[in-house]
Amino acid sequence: MQALDALRTSVRRAVRSTRSYFCTSRHNLSCRQACSTSTASALSATHSAAVLPNKLMPVASSRSLKTAARICLCAALFLGALMLSSCMSSSSESADSNTLTVGFDASYPPYGFMGQDGTYQGFDLDLAREVAKRTGMTFKAAPIDWDTKDVALNSGMINCIWNGFTKEGRENLYTFSEPYMMNAQVVVVRSDSPIKELSDLSKKAVLTQVESAADKILKTPASSNGRAELASQFSRLDTVADYNAAFLQLESGVVDAVACDMSIAAYQLAQSKTSYRILDEKLSSEHYAVAFAKGNTALAQKVTDTLREMYKDGTVKKLCDNYASYGLRYDGWVLK
């Protein structure tokens, strides 16, 4: 077992080095997709390097990205062989039934992020920590690579996705708690941008996070309540690994707009009141809920009941107030 742990540690270090090359590049998706899904456990550790926008690394050069791709592929193959040899039989690799192992994106403030003291923080993590305490469970924060979240959940590495996660359009993929927070998908532009409404996005470059609700909305036709027709008018619709990178590109003028959750937009405006502006017209309205593996209704109900209890005794309001400076508003809470 010690040898196995040492091998895993080596792979995690390799993948963490890879992320340092391209976590802020809008070209990183092709490299990340080259990594097989067997790297999910190692990639989850890479979000420990996530930081707030003012500490983002510069975009990597194409030569660095090629090097990073080779490192990532080697790490993926190495971990794949490792996982095959262990057959994933170790119970320590799966989420314990008495542990609330929360999968989250560590670059998604105010819901989940790494604080300046090096600890994982966020509104959703605080909610989950309190739920675990009240239900006699052990709380564990598990930062994950967002586009491998389903692998992490279905393999048992985590037992829920709790990170400003939109329920609408995903009802058939997960068992959800009842919705707890109202949200919307919006478009953010620079303060000095001539873009005033969604129709002004014609021939403009728009950026969003890969596998995000905004990404899904902009690729779904109107017949299914999406905005693909709007996106077809853009000069291009690109995706990046996280919204820190997206807003860095918006600020530098690489793109004209960012499509994101209202909560993310509110956070960015709270941190830089004069840099950005949210368009009045929304892409969609929706709700956040906690996602569990299909069929895990018992844990979903336990979380729902505890959140409702936390609302009634005032705990939810206190937690909302703690993140008011991040743009989070108590009047968005809907589970009562």
Side-chain angles (χ1 to χ4, degrees):
M1 182 57 70
Q2 289 180 344
L4 187 62
D5 289 340
L7 288 172
R8 287 194 180 105
T9 299
S10 297
V11 173
R12 288 191 181 98
R13 287 173 179 170
V15 177
R16 188 178 295 114
S17 296
T18 300
R19 293 285 289 182
S20 71
Y21 276 109
F22 58 86
C23 69
T24 61
S25 172
R26 66 188 179 93
H27 300 293
N28 67 342
L29 182 57
S30 60
C31 179
R32 284 149 44 111
Q33 289 174 331
C35 301
S36 75
T37 54
S38 65
T39 63
S41 60
L43 284 171
S44 68
T46 65
H47 275 294
S48 63
V51 292
L52 295 181
N54 62 344
K55 294 185 178 181
L56 284 170
M57 293 171 286
V59 175
S61 68
S62 59
R63 179 176 298 180
S64 297
L65 290 172
K66 290 177 182 178
T67 301
R70 287 194 291 270
I71 297 173
C72 189
L73 283 170
C74 290
L77 292 172
F78 190 55
L79 183 59
L82 177 64
M83 294 177 73
L84 180 61
S85 65
S86 66
C87 298
M88 297 187 70
S89 59
S90 172
S91 61
S92 65
E93 290 300 298
S94 60
D96 186 271
S97 59
N98 197 46
T99 299
L100 187 62
T101 307
V102 177
F104 72 103
D105 180 348
S107 58
Y108 201 78
Y111 291 90
F113 59 96
M114 177 174 280
Q116 293 185 353
D117 62 356
T119 63
Y120 294 121
Q121 303 173 11
F123 177 66
D124 278 349
L125 294 183
D126 286 353
L127 288 175
R129 188 178 290 106
E130 182 65 19
V131 166
K133 178 181 177 182
R134 296 188 183 207
T135 57
M137 302 180 75
T138 299
F139 168 77
K140 180 180 179 181
I144 57 175
D145 194 68
W146 196 242
D147 53 352
T148 62
K149 60 186 177 295
D150 293 341
V151 175
L153 183 64
N154 294 327
S155 68
M157 289 170 51
I158 60 175
N159 52 22
C160 68
I161 301 170
W162 197 337
N163 191 216
F165 196 48
T166 299
K167 178 178 181 179
E168 283 81 359
R170 294 177 168 132
E171 293 88 345
N172 296 327
L173 302 176
Y174 310 91
T175 290
F176 279 99
S177 69
E178 289 186 28
Y180 63 91
M181 204 78 175
M182 185 179 296
N183 186 45
Q185 294 303 315
V186 299
V187 173
V188 181
V189 297
R190 292 184 300 278
S191 297
D192 59 357
S193 173
I195 300 171
K196 304 297 182 184
E197 50 192 37
L198 294 181
S199 60
D200 295 334
L201 292 170
S202 177
K203 311 285 188 206
K204 303 298 183 183
V206 180
L207 193 59
T208 190
Q209 185 185 38
V210 62
E211 293 291 318
S212 66
D215 186 27
K216 182 177 178 62
I217 285 290
L218 290 169
K219 293 176 180 177
T220 301
S223 59
S224 299
N225 299 317
R227 304 302 295 267
E229 288 77 6
L230 173 67
S232 68
Q233 301 174 24
F234 303 162
S235 64
R236 68 179 194 272
L237 173 62
D238 293 337
T239 58
V240 288
D242 60 70
Y243 279 119
N244 287 338
F247 278 91
L248 184 66
Q249 293 196 37
L250 177 61
E251 182 179 1
S252 64
V254 175
V255 296
D256 301 294
V258 169
C260 62
D261 288 11
M262 172 65 84
S263 59
I264 296 300
Y267 167 76
Q268 293 292 339
L269 265 68
Q271 301 307 301
S272 180
K273 299 182 185 299
T274 60
S275 297
Y276 308 115
R277 175 167 45 83
I278 302 173
L279 300 188
D280 291 335
E281 187 180 355
K282 297 177 176 60
L283 294 172
S284 69
S285 295
E286 59 204 25
H287 297 86
Y288 287 158
V290 187
F292 304 86
K294 202 70 173 164
N296 195 357
T297 55
L299 186 53
Q301 190 60 52
K302 181 188 292 188
V303 168
T304 294
D305 293 342
T306 308
L307 287 176
R308 185 175 281 115
E309 173 188 299
M310 289 165 56
Y311 165 76
K312 291 179 179 178
D313 66 19
T315 301
V316 167
K317 186 177 188 310
K318 290 179 181 178
L319 294 180
C320 287
D321 290 345
N322 288 343
Y323 291 93
S325 63
Y326 289 78
L328 193 145
R329 296 177 51 174
Y330 176 60
D331 59 9
W333 187 268
V334 297
L335 182 56
K336 302 176 179 179

